[in-house]
């Protein structure tokens, strides 16, 4: 079994919720009012009081989630390559996207919520129109797994994390990455932008967080050291002044930017 812990901003433990199974895929909505978890079913949580709002069965194992910016739609990626859309907060199916030939490794919505970007274990990145469910773009060039994706808040470019030593910057309308952020170790595990897009954080397999001021020009601001094992999650607060990081060392670090 697992435990869902609810923390105050100052690090105080507020409460624990004991889970019946280990749910290893978790994602917050943009305003952090909702939290979703997944295994072979999907659970939706209200973060204010740590109550479960509902569950829905998934036809195959969940590997990734993304909330739409307005919080009205959830996308779930699965180990058979399917992408399912869910209406919120009802968790009723709202359609499917063609997906990939292999498991979905990452999902992210565009800032306007009209497009969904997916990465698969086929090492491809695809962009989908939410209304038509049609594929509108495909990017190739990764030689290994892509575990994380993040659009710049302006929608002007996408950053992908890769297990082939680099994070890549992708521009709409171009086929190849415009920049390789290759100051990292062997694997880049997760990426996150501040809400205003002024900073990009990338965590790699050396347990280091690289912070980039201008990823389009590979301008790095600083690095953050403190973890002793793989970093699996990054999240900025609403004004971008704090960064939370967590990983396999079972410690949550809060960094002053």
């Amino acid at each position: 079994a697992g435990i869902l812990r609810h923390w105050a901003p100052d690090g105080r433990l507020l409460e624990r919720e004991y889970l019946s199974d280990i749910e290893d895929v978790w994602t917050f909505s943009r305003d952090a009012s909702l939290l979703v978890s997944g295994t072979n079913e999907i659970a939706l949580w209200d973060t204010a009081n740590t109550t479960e709002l509902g569950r829905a069965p998934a036809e195959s194992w969940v590997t990734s989630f993304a909330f739409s910016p307005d919080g009205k739609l959830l996308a779930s990626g699965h180990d058979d390559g399917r992408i399912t859309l869910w209406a919120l907060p009802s968790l009723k199916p709202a359609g499917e996207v063609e997906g990939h030939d292999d498991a979905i490794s990452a999902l992210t919505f565009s800032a306007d919520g009209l497009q969904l970007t997916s990465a698969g274990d086929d090492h491809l990145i695809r962009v989908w129109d939410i209304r038509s469910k049609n594929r509108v773009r495909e990017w190739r060039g990764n030689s290994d797994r892509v575990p994380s994706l993040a659009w710049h808040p302006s929608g002007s470019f996408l950053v992908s994390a890769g297990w082939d030593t680099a994070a890549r910057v992708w521009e709409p309308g171009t086929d190849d990455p415009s920049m390789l952020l290759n100051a990292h170790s062997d694997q880049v595990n997760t990426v996150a932008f501040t809400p205003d897009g002024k900073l990009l954080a990338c965590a790699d397999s050396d347990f280091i967080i690289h912070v980039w001021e201008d990823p389009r020009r590979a301008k790095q601001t600083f690095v953050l050291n403190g973890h002793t094992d793989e970093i699996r999650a990054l999240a900025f607060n609403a004004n971008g002044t704090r960064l939370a990081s967590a990983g396999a060392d079972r410690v949550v670090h809060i960094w002053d930017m």
Side-chain angles (χ1 to χ4, degrees):
I3 301 174
L4 174 61
R5 291 179 170 89
H6 190 191
W7 301 90
D10 61 4
R12 288 179 296 111
L13 179 61
L14 299 177
E15 58 184 311
R16 296 181 179 89
E17 178 78 20
Y18 290 91
L19 308 174
S20 59
D21 199 356
I22 296 176
E23 303 180 30
D24 53 3
V25 184
W26 297 82
T27 301
F28 281 99
S29 61
R30 179 165 293 188
D31 64 1
S33 64
L34 296 174
L35 176 65
V36 67
S37 61
T39 51
N40 59 351
E41 63 180 357
I42 295 169
L44 186 68
W45 304 80
D46 183 322
T47 58
N49 50 24
T50 326
T51 57
E52 186 179 307
L53 300 176
R55 283 186 178 260
E59 293 182 13
S60 59
W61 203 263
V62 177
T63 55
S64 184
F65 285 121
F67 283 92
S68 63
D70 62 7
K72 295 181 179 179
L73 197 64
L74 172 72
S76 61
H78 299 263
D79 62 358
D80 60 2
R82 289 184 306 109
I83 301 168
T84 304
L85 301 175
W86 308 85
L88 296 177
S90 65
L91 269 185
K92 292 182 178 178
E96 276 194 6
V97 175
E98 179 184 324
H100 295 252
D101 293 334
D102 289 300
I104 304 298
S105 56
L107 293 170
T108 187
F109 277 92
S110 58
D112 59 12
L114 299 179
Q115 294 184 338
L116 176 69
T117 304
S118 62
D121 282 346
D122 52 11
H123 308 160
L124 301 176
I125 298 172
R126 290 172 170 169
V127 182
W128 310 89
D129 182 277
I130 289 297
R131 292 171 179 168
S132 68
K133 311 299 189 294
N134 292 328
R135 189 173 75 203
V136 297
R137 186 173 300 113
E138 179 177 279
W139 282 307
R140 298 170 177 262
N142 296 285
S143 60
D144 208 330
R145 194 168 194 265
V146 180
S148 182
L149 298 166
W151 276 101
H152 187 271
S154 69
S156 55
F157 64 96
L158 173 81
V159 174
S160 64
W163 279 8
D164 51 7
T165 76
R168 287 171 169 80
V169 177
W170 306 88
E171 311 272 353
T174 63
D175 293 330
D176 298 315
S178 61
M179 181 60 67
L180 295 180
L181 305 179
N182 53 11
H184 303 92
S185 183
D186 291 344
Q187 297 177 344
V188 185
N189 294 320
T190 184
V191 295
F193 278 105
T194 53
D196 61 10
K198 291 183 178 179
L199 294 175
L200 169 72
C202 303
D204 68 19
S205 54
D206 269 350
F207 323 142
I208 294 173
I209 303 168
H210 296 253
V211 180
W212 303 85
E213 180 181 337
D214 187 353
R216 279 171 145 171
R217 294 175 176 81
K219 185 177 180 182
Q220 186 170 275
T221 308
F222 46 80
V223 298
L224 303 172
N225 292 276
H227 283 278
T228 58
D229 207 334
E230 178 184 344
I231 301 167
R232 297 176 178 172
L234 295 172
F236 283 99
N237 65 349
N239 60 14
T241 59
R242 296 285 190 273
L243 172 68
S245 60
D249 56 6
R250 299 187 294 179
V251 179
V252 178
H253 293 262
I254 308 296
W255 307 89
D256 187 327
M257 289 292 99

